[in-house]
Amino acid sequence: MTDTMDQALFAAAEAVRAKAHAPYSRFTVGAAILADDGKIYAGCNIENAAYPVGNCAEASAIAAMIAGGARRIKRIYVTGPGSAPVTPCGGCRQRIREFADLDVEVISHGVDGTALVTTLEKLLPYSFGPEYLPK
Ligand code: THU
C-alpha cells in the first residue's frame, strides 16, 4: 500500500467526519474504504434522538460502497477525535467481515495520535462469516 493511498484514505475519512451528525456523543467518526473498484467510499456516524438507531461511520461507508456498485473492502481507515486510535465497535467488525478478507488491514487513527494498523482477523478472531452458510 502506498503512502499516497493512505493519505487519500485519511483525508477522505477526515473530510466526511466533518459532516458527522453526532449531537449526543459529540464524538465524530469518519471511515474511508478502498474498494475493489479502486475507488474510495466514505461515511460518518449519524446519531439519532432514539439512541440505539444511530449509525456508525463504518456502516455508512459500507452503505456508500454498496450503493456505489463496489463489493469488497480492500483497506479501511477510521478516524476520530483525540489521540487514542478509534477502533471499530464489535458490530462494525462483523459488518466489515461481510465484505473483507481476514487479512485486510484496518487502520484506526485518533487525529491527535498515531495510527494503529491491524487486521480484521486480529480485531475479530474466530469469526463467523458468509462462507459458513449453505449455498
Ligand atoms: N462510533 C463509530 O461511528 N464508529 C466506531 O468505530 C466507534 C463509535 C460512533 C458511534 C457513536 O455515534 C459515537 O461514535 C460514540 O460512540
Side-chain angles (χ1 to χ4, degrees):
M1 187 55 50
T2 62
D3 284 353
T4 311
M5 178 53 75
D6 270 346
Q7 282 163 14
L9 285 165
F10 178 74
E14 278 297 281
V16 75
R17 187 166 79 87
K19 300 175 186 167
H21 177 71
Y24 308 109
S25 73
R26 308 239 170 242
F27 192 83
T28 56
V29 183
I33 292 167
L34 173 63
D36 55 345
D37 62 356
K39 294 183 186 166
I40 292 175
Y41 296 94
C44 55
N45 55 334
I46 307 170
E47 296 182 349
N48 193 286
Y51 292 175
V53 185
N55 284 342
C56 283
E58 296 89 330
S60 299
I62 289 169
M65 179 188 81
I66 295 299
R71 279 294 177 268
R72 299 293 291 170
I73 296 169
K74 295 298 177 188
R75 195 171 184 80
I76 179 165
Y77 227 102
V78 183
T79 65
S83 53
V86 178
T87 50
C89 77
C92 284
R93 294 175 195 204
Q94 187 66 41
R95 289 189 179 95
I96 295 165
R97 173 70 167 84
E98 185 73 13
F99 301 104
D101 294 343
L102 292 172
D103 62 354
V104 158
E105 287 188 321
V106 179
I107 300 97
S108 299
H109 209 144
V111 287
D112 299 326
T114 50
L116 170 74
V117 183
T118 186
T119 63
L120 176 59
E121 188 165 26
K122 286 185 179 145
L123 289 170
L124 195 67
Y126 305 105
S127 63
F128 184 84
E131 70 277 13
Y132 283 72
L133 296 175
K135 293 266 184 265

